[in-house]
Amino acid sequence: MATDRTRREQLLTFLLLPAIVIAVLVLSGVMFRSSFQLEKLREQSVVEATLSLANERADRLDKRIIEQDNAVRSVLDLTQRTEFGSKWLETAALQTPTVRAVFLVDLGTPARNVVALASRAPELETERFRRLLVHRLLPELKLDKPPIDELRHLHKVEREKAYLLSHWEQELNDRHFLVVVWHDVPRIVHDVFPALYSDMQQSRVNIVDADGKIVFGPPLTRGGLTLGRQFETTLYKWTLNVTMNSAAELAAAVARRRLLEMVLVGLSSVVVIAGLFVILIAAERERRLSNLKSEFVANVSHELKTPLALVRMFGELLQTGRADTPEKQSQYLSIIVNESDRLNALIENVLDFAKVERGQAAYEFSPGRLAEPVGRAVEACRVRAERDGVALELSLEEVPELLLDERAVEIAVINLVDNALKYAPEGKRVGVSVRPVSGGAEVSVVDQGPGIAPEDRKRIFERFVRGKSASGKQVRGSGIGLSLVKHIAEAHGGSIRVEDAQPHGSIFTLRLTRRPS
């Protein structure tokens, strides 16, 4: 039942991971698309604002010129030929500053001569324009198109000089006349354009002719959003260009923000996916640890059960009088004592490991000689070594005084020797040696067993992990002894390592480096 539940949990995990990854990728895609859509909306809003501004500025000039045309139209009296335009001249400088002259053309005659005029320009200049009007400009005008009294404009370039004419037709006493208003284009450029376009702070403006030559204003900076709009009714051969001053900066800021958002989204996706993998790895490690704990409980139970069974069995034999000779009684009592010691060592190991796991392990350091706890540990294991037919040898060299928790060091050496005795074949030897090294001392335990598989060498010091012999056969044990040795070594500022012995076997080296101050 537990196996089925575990399989279901694993299946759910492996199905959930791709689903979450896909969801993160979809969310990232949506956010990227939203970012691009916001960029397009921003560009569209800038375009609309710039276009609106260009339209408003172009219409402003058309309106200014048409207002002057209407002012002229309102004061002209075609019946007074001799005083034609006199009322206009009285207020021309104030109301129509760009109008230089007004002409009255008789369209009822084939010659289409100018029959009356009023001018603010010099006489010679006025006469030149009259000839130009009659011979070159009149054919360009759209005449006899209804409604005949509609105000129209002609924007013409003659001999590299721009002309602007406003004109309308009028019937009087069954005669057909044309009124032509001559606007001073240079004055429009030098006076009207600055008045209309020099107050623009959020944008820059220039006006170019049909060939792209700048008529008014500075060159516009490239890279920003520039929109052009031709004047609709008056100077329609010229184009008004508008660039938003903040468009380039705004575009750069939006581009930087979009890049930052993309980076953040990408990093968030990576973090989420990496977090999922970390969670899965942690869950897998927790599952393996849980399995190791279950094996640990089973192993410890077995380790406790075996000596208890032997103590009970040989105790019953003594109780029932089956040991009928003093030699057997002594043998049975020796077995009971040995198994009791084994049981006591196992319980001590479990209790010490439990303290380490809870973070309650406390060591009492004091200056001491390493030979003393090592010697006691070897003597504690000697009876078992003799029983197993293994020679246990101890070699001691003079080592400097160290800060030791002698009980902890004794437990560590007992675990190492016990581990060596498990794998040492009968008739072989286990050697324990103490020697000085730079900064401290080392305790080496050498066995002549089958050795440790390379894949187990890095993991045997982890809690609950039990290695296998080179023959593949797993030996009894709790899986906490070497983990406890590692903790004791690190508490003494040292380390524990394992190497291959020659010709076969293993060498466990416990290094201690804490020196008294």
Side-chain angles (χ1 to χ4, degrees):
M1 193 70 178
T3 303
D4 293 338
R5 184 170 64 253
T6 302
R7 289 178 179 176
R8 286 197 301 269
E9 292 175 353
Q10 291 177 348
L11 180 62
L12 179 62
T13 300
F14 285 110
L15 289 177
L16 185 61
L17 176 61
I20 295 177
V21 172
I22 292 174
V24 170
L25 294 178
V26 170
L27 180 60
S28 301
V30 171
M31 295 188 69
F32 280 130
R33 186 179 65 179
S34 299
S35 177
F36 282 112
Q37 289 178 344
L38 289 175
E39 172 67 10
K40 291 181 179 179
L41 289 175
R42 184 206 65 82
E43 292 178 354
Q44 182 178 353
S45 64
V46 172
V47 169
E48 291 177 353
T50 307
L51 181 60
S52 176
L53 182 62
N55 290 335
E56 187 270 334
R57 296 294 173 166
D59 293 341
R60 183 182 294 186
L61 175 67
D62 288 341
K63 183 179 179 181
R64 176 72 63 90
I65 294 176
I66 291 173
E67 285 176 351
Q68 296 188 51
D69 294 336
N70 290 331
V72 173
R73 190 171 185 175
S74 64
V75 298
L76 284 182
D77 186 359
L78 303 189
T79 61
Q80 301 293 329
R81 301 288 178 85
T82 58
E83 298 181 1
F84 178 78
S86 59
K87 291 185 178 180
W88 164 70
L89 290 173
E90 293 175 359
T91 59
L94 295 176
Q95 294 187 357
T96 59
T98 68
V99 178
R100 304 209 69 187
V102 181
F103 299 85
L104 181 63
V105 180
D106 187 357
L107 297 179
T109 62
R112 295 184 175 182
N113 292 323
V114 175
V115 296
L117 63 88
S119 177
R120 298 170 56 209
E123 183 177 351
L124 181 60
E125 186 177 356
T126 302
E127 178 59 23
R128 288 176 181 173
F129 181 80
R130 186 192 67 78
R131 292 177 182 178
L132 178 67
L133 173 65
V134 173
H135 298 292
R136 302 292 296 271
L137 299 181
L138 281 180
E140 300 284 341
L141 301 180
K142 298 178 181 179
L143 303 177
D144 300 326
K145 288 187 177 182
I148 62 172
D149 61 346
E150 180 183 4
L151 178 63
R152 297 183 176 94
H153 297 85
L154 174 67
H155 185 202
K156 182 71 174 177
V157 177
E158 286 288 337
R159 296 178 182 178
E160 299 183 353
K161 186 176 181 179
Y163 294 92
L164 174 62
L165 277 63
S166 302
H167 61 92
W168 65 90
E169 300 174 51
Q170 192 167 341
E171 296 284 347
L172 180 64
N173 299 326
D174 297 329
R175 295 184 67 179
H176 194 185
F177 294 95
L178 173 69
V179 180
V180 177
V181 178
W182 173 28
H183 287 275
D184 188 351
V185 174
R187 184 161 187 169
I188 294 175
V189 172
H190 293 101
D191 295 343
V192 178
F193 283 170
L196 293 179
Y197 304 128
S198 296
D199 62 337
M200 301 175 68
Q201 299 179 354
Q202 299 300 323
S203 60
R204 302 183 69 190
V205 173
N206 71 8
I207 297 171
V208 297
D209 59 17
D211 297 327
K213 182 180 178 181
I214 295 178
V215 177
F216 170 78
L220 301 184
T221 305
R222 295 183 179 181
L225 178 61
T226 302
L227 291 181
R229 168 30 169 43
Q230 285 184 309
F231 295 100
E232 186 173 357
T233 58
T234 56
L235 299 171
Y236 50 81
K237 289 186 179 293
W238 289 356
T239 301
L240 173 71
N241 295 318
V242 178
T243 294
M244 300 291 288
N245 287 338
S246 59
E249 292 80 359
L250 181 60
V254 171
R256 289 193 297 269
R257 184 171 65 249
R258 184 177 64 182
L259 178 62
L260 178 61
E261 291 174 352
M262 290 181 179
V263 171
L264 290 177
V265 170
L267 289 177
S268 300
S269 302
V270 171
V271 169
V272 170
I273 295 175
L276 289 175
F277 280 106
V278 170
I279 290 173
L280 288 178
I281 293 173
E284 178 63 19
R285 291 184 63 183
E286 188 64 27
R287 184 189 64 81
R288 290 174 54 191
L289 185 60
S290 178
N291 292 338
L292 291 174
K293 285 182 178 180
S294 299
E295 293 179 6
F296 165 72
V297 172
N299 292 332
V300 170
S301 300
H302 178 73
E303 290 287 300
L304 292 173
K305 185 178 180 180
T306 301
L308 283 174
L310 291 174
V311 169
R312 180 181 179 83
M313 181 182 69
F314 286 104
E316 289 179 349
L317 290 176
L318 290 173
Q319 186 179 29
T320 56
R322 296 183 184 181
D324 49 2
T325 63
E327 291 79 6
K328 284 187 177 183
Q329 291 177 0
S330 177
Q331 180 185 3
Y332 292 170
L333 288 172
S334 178
I335 292 174
I336 291 173
V337 171
N338 290 337
E339 294 301 325
S340 298
D341 291 339
R342 176 183 165 190
L343 182 61
N344 182 67
L346 178 61
I347 293 173
E348 288 290 335
N349 259 359
V350 172
L351 292 177
D352 289 335
F353 180 77
K355 290 181 180 179
V356 170
E357 284 288 283
R358 293 195 301 268
Q360 297 176 350
Y363 297 95
E364 297 179 358
F365 294 98
S366 60
R369 297 291 177 179
L370 184 58
E372 297 178 5
V374 173
R376 291 196 298 268
V378 171
E379 290 303 318
C381 298
R382 190 173 298 281
V383 175
R384 178 187 168 189
E386 294 174 353
R387 185 188 64 193
D388 294 341
V390 177
L392 183 58
E393 300 175 356
L394 175 61
S395 173
L396 297 175
E397 296 182 22
E398 187 67 26
V399 297
E401 195 175 55
L402 299 174
L403 279 178
L404 303 172
D405 184 323
E406 294 191 3
R407 177 182 173 277
V409 172
E410 186 176 340
I411 292 174
V413 175
I414 287 175
N415 275 286
L416 292 176
V417 174
D418 180 72
N419 188 69
L421 293 175
K422 291 177 184 178
Y423 295 96
E426 185 176 354
K428 298 296 183 179
R429 59 179 288 275
V430 171
V432 181
S433 62
V434 178
R435 66 179 182 274
V437 294
S438 176
E442 287 184 348
V443 180
S444 296
V445 179
V446 184
D447 64 65
Q448 295 178 329
I452 299 175
E455 61 270 15
D456 291 335
R457 199 167 294 167
K458 293 182 179 180
R459 299 183 63 244
I460 57 174
F461 297 105
E462 297 178 11
R463 55 183 179 173
F464 310 130
V465 174
R466 299 174 61 218
K468 295 182 179 180
S469 66
S471 62
K473 180 180 179 181
Q474 197 163 27
V475 182
R476 64 178 177 82
S478 62
I480 62 174
L482 293 180
S483 175
L484 188 59
V485 172
K486 180 182 178 183
H487 191 276
I488 293 172
E490 292 175 348
H492 284 75
S495 61
I496 180 70
R497 67 180 186 271
V498 60
E499 300 169 327
D500 287 333
Q502 297 298 330
H504 52 77
S506 301
I507 303 175
F508 284 85
T509 303
L510 174 64
R511 183 184 180 93
L512 305 177
T513 60
R514 294 195 66 167
R515 303 292 298 274
S517 59

